[in-house]
Amino acid sequence: MSEPEAEKPLDFIRTRIQEDQQAGKNDGKVHTRFPPEPNGYLHLGHAKSICLNFGIAQEFGGLCNLRLDDTNPVAEKTEYAEAIQDDLRWLGFDWEDRFFHASDYFDKLHSWAVQLIKAGKAFVCDLSFEEMKAHRGNLIEPGKNSPFRERTVEENLELFEQMRLGEFPDGTKTLRAKIDMSSPNLNLRDPVIYRIIHQEHPKTGNKWKIYPSYDFAHGQSDSLEGITHSICTLEFEHHRPLYDWLCQNLGIHHPQQIEFARLNLNYTVMSKRKMLRLVEEGHVNGWDDPRMPTLQGMRRRGYTANAIRDFCEKVGVAKRENVIEVELLEHCLRHDLNRCAPRRLGVLNPLKLTISNYPDGQVEEVDAVNNPEDPEAGTRPVSFSKNIYIDRNDFMEDPPKKYFRMSPGREVRLKYAYYVTCTEVIKDSDGEVIELICEYDPQSRGGDSPDGRKVRGTIQWVDASTAQKVEVRLYDRLFKTADPEKTEDGGDFIDHLNPDSLKVISHALVEASVEQFEVGKAFQLERVGYFCLDPDGQGNDGLLLNRTVAMRDSWAKANK
Ligand code: ATP
Ligand code: MG
């Protein structure tokens, strides 16, 4: 009997939330949110944030909202917004009727800006973005007050209204909070809270010519939704005092912000900006390229939601930046696929094999196990005949001592079928092996020994009379270095791309029933690896298969 699983200690975020709940803070309620900006596709890092926010809500009997932080109409697209919802559902999370947009709050945010102006806590500034930067100072030197800082409330109200009406071009004026230009925290040096952008917005159309900054929208959106715990990544730690200042000065509900370290994975990049470059410069074939760390790419590659959720749980949350090894991700994937992926037979490098003593024209069916991990999955019939194919890598003419696969004179088991012995090797004029002639033992049907004699090698095969041709795409790491983002001497992460990240194998052969699998749903080709059908359907050479992951689990080995 297996030991009952030990109760896992709570991470620092859950500990904090549990304390708040036990102390009766927010009447014991827990309400989180996942707030992506719809300016790109979600990646694995977002999955971590999703699992954390939705997971915590579930564990503490609370709720989690989905909110699109759509404050910048320049970079945002409806295409992204739709993919975000699709990915979230696929990951298995449900926001019920709590789907919001920061743009739902534009009226409210505008009135709060007016409130700050009236209280003498915000002013319209005519400095350009360059001038503002020059005034801002740095970590050592304090900033300088804007010459427009002392405008009267009336003047500010009038100018802000003119901004709203679209009377000024982009970049000529901003609304800034009046906080402290000498604060050691740069975010408190009179930050911009509204800017002029003459751009149609996907949700609000042409209503607005001014848009709130992310910092002015984010905390207040959380506040408006009654979020109790605003969980975010470390880069927002220094924004927290600004959010606090805003909530305090507006006199509104104050969510507790808690920061954690972003998920980083080696051999890839995890930033929408960098992924956009990969797509736009054609280094990959779109956002859903199976080599991309996007959820869309991973889905196309055959990843399961289960594996991704398991991975996010295993990596946990940390307060300090760290880099997770991609082997752990692949381990979680293999673990899940081993459990649920149906098995099929296939050969990537077919080598013809003819059984000399098998009756001409006969085709029979043998029973193959669908999933040894799942007795309920049963068996399926697979056709077998005189002509079959095995994998070229399973044959050696002059094998070393411990080689148990096929070689002249050695008997091996064709999985689920028969024992065969190679009696002749046929070569072309270049000396390359093009066909093997074998004899089979009709008594060994099903791959069972007829008389107790043992064979050490078992190999997979496909029947020539029914095999399905496929083109297989084998993927390797997208980058050849573990940390492509670390670019010294002004280098570029693009320079670290792995030129061999995609290899195409044409003329591979699989069992015909592979055709019936759902696109993106991984199956195992026994002894070869996990694969899935690509949505593009047909390659140049039959069905198009993506390799999800190879069989070998180096992580499990190293962490035994
Ligand atoms: P990117 O840097 O890739 O553009 P982002 O942080 O700008 O990402 P958002 O759409 O603003 O992306 O992120 C939505 C949520 O996901 C935020 O709460 C953010 O903190 C979180 N998030 C983004 N990247 C990661 C990551 N690598 N690990 C954990 N959480 C992340
Ligand atoms: Mg962002």
Side-chain angles (χ1 to χ4, degrees):
M1 244 175 69
S2 62
E3 295 273 311
E5 224 177 296
E7 189 107 329
K8 263 191 12 189
L10 293 185
D11 57 57
F12 73 95
I13 298 180
R14 288 173 167 91
T15 303
R16 178 79 193 263
I17 292 176
Q18 190 180 53
E19 283 166 8
D20 285 351
Q21 196 171 43
Q22 283 168 355
K25 204 172 159 189
N26 305 300
D27 301 324
K29 285 206 273 284
V30 172
H31 203 144
T32 56
R33 83 291 177 258
F34 172 63
E37 194 182 342
N39 62 349
Y41 284 83
L42 296 184
H43 51 59
L44 189 61
H46 293 116
K48 172 167 171 172
S49 175
I50 293 165
C51 290
L52 192 59
N53 280 294
F54 279 90
I56 283 174
Q58 275 166 12
E59 291 156 37
F60 290 89
L63 298 171
C64 181
N65 297 355
L66 169 59
R67 181 176 68 243
L68 299 184
D69 248 318
D70 57 348
T71 49
N72 181 4
V74 179
E76 291 157 10
K77 285 196 205 162
T78 317
E79 169 197 343
Y80 299 139
E82 275 161 15
I84 288 171
Q85 297 171 67
D86 186 44
D87 283 340
L88 264 159
R89 276 194 211 97
W90 177 79
L91 264 182
F93 296 106
D94 185 5
W95 52 92
E96 296 168 327
D97 57 351
R98 297 177 310 281
F99 179 39
F100 303 111
H101 293 78
S103 57
D104 297 340
Y105 312 131
F106 281 174
D107 284 317
K108 189 74 206 170
L109 291 168
H110 175 260
S111 75
W112 275 334
V114 171
Q115 185 183 328
L116 287 181
I117 295 174
K118 284 183 178 161
K121 289 172 181 166
F123 65 98
V124 172
C125 182
D126 295 4
L127 293 181
S128 67
F129 282 101
E130 290 74 38
E131 289 165 328
M132 234 184 285
K133 220 169 140 192
H135 273 74
R136 203 168 175 224
N138 51 43
L139 288 175
I140 304 154
E141 285 173 40
K144 279 194 302 225
N145 281 348
S146 159
F148 305 98
R149 203 173 195 264
E150 299 310 325
R151 277 178 164 152
T152 62
V153 168
E154 289 66 37
E155 194 183 356
N156 281 320
L157 284 174
E158 197 177 313
L159 286 170
F160 188 51
E161 179 60 5
Q162 285 174 295
M163 282 167 66
R164 186 183 71 83
L165 292 171
E167 291 176 14
F168 307 115
D170 286 10
T172 53
K173 283 184 170 45
T174 56
L175 184 71
R176 299 175 66 181
K178 199 193 257 188
I179 309 181
D180 179 4
M181 287 307 288
S182 62
S183 168
N185 184 335
L186 295 177
N187 294 301
L188 295 180
R189 293 186 186 173
D190 294 2
V192 171
I193 57 176
Y194 259 95
R195 59 240 145 104
I196 302 169
I197 304 177
H198 289 265
Q199 167 98 30
E200 192 171 308
H201 186 285
K203 291 284 287 184
T204 57
N206 288 308
K207 177 171 174 187
W208 297 95
K209 314 292 176 208
I210 52 171
Y211 290 94
S213 65
Y214 181 85
D215 277 343
F216 192 67
H218 189 77
Q220 284 105 292
S221 300
D222 281 350
S223 176
L224 277 169
E225 291 175 17
I227 300 304
T228 58
H229 298 86
S230 303
I231 300 167
C232 63
T233 36
L234 281 180
E235 69 269 27
F236 291 102
E237 192 173 0
H238 300 296
H239 296 240
R240 175 152 37 98
L242 172 57
Y243 300 160
D244 290 348
W245 186 91
L246 287 167
C247 286
Q248 209 165 3
N249 282 280
L250 292 168
I252 57 178
H253 161 69
H254 193 152
Q256 175 62 53
Q257 179 170 305
I258 309 174
E259 304 90 11
F260 70 99
R262 299 173 81 83
L263 170 70
N264 299 302
L265 193 68
N266 63 8
Y267 293 99
T268 193
V269 291
M270 202 80 87
S271 127
K272 283 183 275 190
R273 198 168 41 81
K274 291 192 171 120
M275 296 191 311
L276 182 64
R277 260 193 77 193
L278 291 171
V279 173
E280 284 186 338
E281 293 176 13
H283 303 292
V284 294
N285 302 313
W287 286 96
D288 67 345
D289 185 300
R291 291 166 293 182
M292 289 281 272
T294 52
L295 295 180
Q296 300 267 331
M298 296 173 81
R299 289 167 65 175
R300 185 166 182 178
R301 173 121 171 212
Y303 268 82
T304 60
N306 242 338
I308 293 177
R309 287 194 306 259
D310 180 34
F311 169 76
C312 291
E313 196 190 313
K314 281 207 165 67
V315 299
V317 286
K319 276 189 202 174
R320 262 200 287 158
E321 288 288 341
N322 57 1
V323 181
I324 306 292
E325 291 177 359
V326 63
E327 284 87 357
L328 175 61
L329 175 65
E330 292 174 346
H331 166 76
C332 294
L333 177 60
R334 286 189 186 96
H335 182 77
D336 190 46
L337 292 180
N338 180 50
R339 201 181 49 76
C340 69
R343 274 46 169 186
R344 290 295 182 268
L345 297 177
V347 293
L348 296 192
N349 310 288
L351 174 61
K352 192 173 172 192
L353 187 154
T354 302
I355 303 169
S356 55
N357 59 338
Y358 194 89
D360 285 337
Q362 176 175 309
V363 180
E364 66 179 300
E365 281 178 338
V366 296
D367 281 336
V369 174
N370 284 329
N371 183 352
E373 302 292 320
D374 175 11
E376 308 249 297
T379 61
R380 67 188 181 284
V382 178
S383 81
F384 184 85
S385 69
K386 189 179 182 79
N387 297 110
I388 63 169
Y389 288 92
I390 64 164
D391 200 287
R392 201 164 272 282
N393 294 326
D394 283 332
F395 173 78
M396 271 183 105
E397 199 169 10
D398 288 310
K401 233 182 163 174
K402 293 222 162 150
Y403 188 83
F404 299 116
R405 289 171 275 160
M406 189 168 280
S407 59
R410 181 185 293 283
E411 187 166 53
V412 299
R413 178 190 289 109
L414 294 176
K415 189 143 198 195
Y416 308 123
Y418 292 99
Y419 286 10
V420 292
T421 306
C422 175
T423 53
E424 192 186 343
V425 179
I426 299 176
K427 298 178 184 175
D428 64 10
S429 53
D430 299 327
E432 177 146 11
V433 177
I434 50 168
E435 184 178 352
L436 303 176
I437 308 294
C438 289
E439 279 180 12
Y440 85 122
D441 177 355
Q443 303 302 315
S444 62
R445 192 171 197 280
D448 295 328
S449 176
D451 54 7
R453 75 177 190 273
K454 285 206 170 79
V455 296
R456 298 286 291 271
T458 300
I459 62 177
Q460 83 280 9
W461 51 275
V462 289
D463 177 19
S465 70
T466 54
Q468 162 80 50
K469 270 199 199 165
V470 290
E471 177 180 319
V472 182
R473 296 185 173 166
L474 302 178
Y475 302 104
D476 198 353
R477 323 246 121 110
L478 186 52
F479 292 90
K480 55 181 191 247
T481 50
D483 187 0
E485 312 215 27
K486 193 184 272 162
T487 43
E488 280 138 22
D489 319 325
D492 189 358
F493 73 97
I494 296 288
D495 303 336
H496 297 258
L497 279 166
N498 173 8
D500 299 316
S501 62
L502 168 61
K503 275 200 187 124
V504 178
I505 295 195
S506 26
H507 313 300
L509 294 171
V510 295
E511 254 180 71
S513 64
V514 157
E515 197 170 16
Q516 292 153 14
F517 285 125
E518 206 180 302
V519 166
K521 199 127 190 170
F523 53 88
Q524 186 194 91
L525 289 180
E526 293 201 41
R527 299 182 64 235
V528 185
Y530 294 95
F531 298 81
C532 68
L533 293 177
D534 187 84
D536 279 352
Q538 296 285 321
N540 290 325
D541 202 6
L543 280 179
L544 200 53
L545 293 192
N546 293 319
R547 180 167 73 188
T548 308
V549 67
M551 296 293 280
R552 217 167 64 104
D553 192 336
S554 51
W555 188 88
K557 242 184 174 168
N559 289 275
K560 255 212 173 116

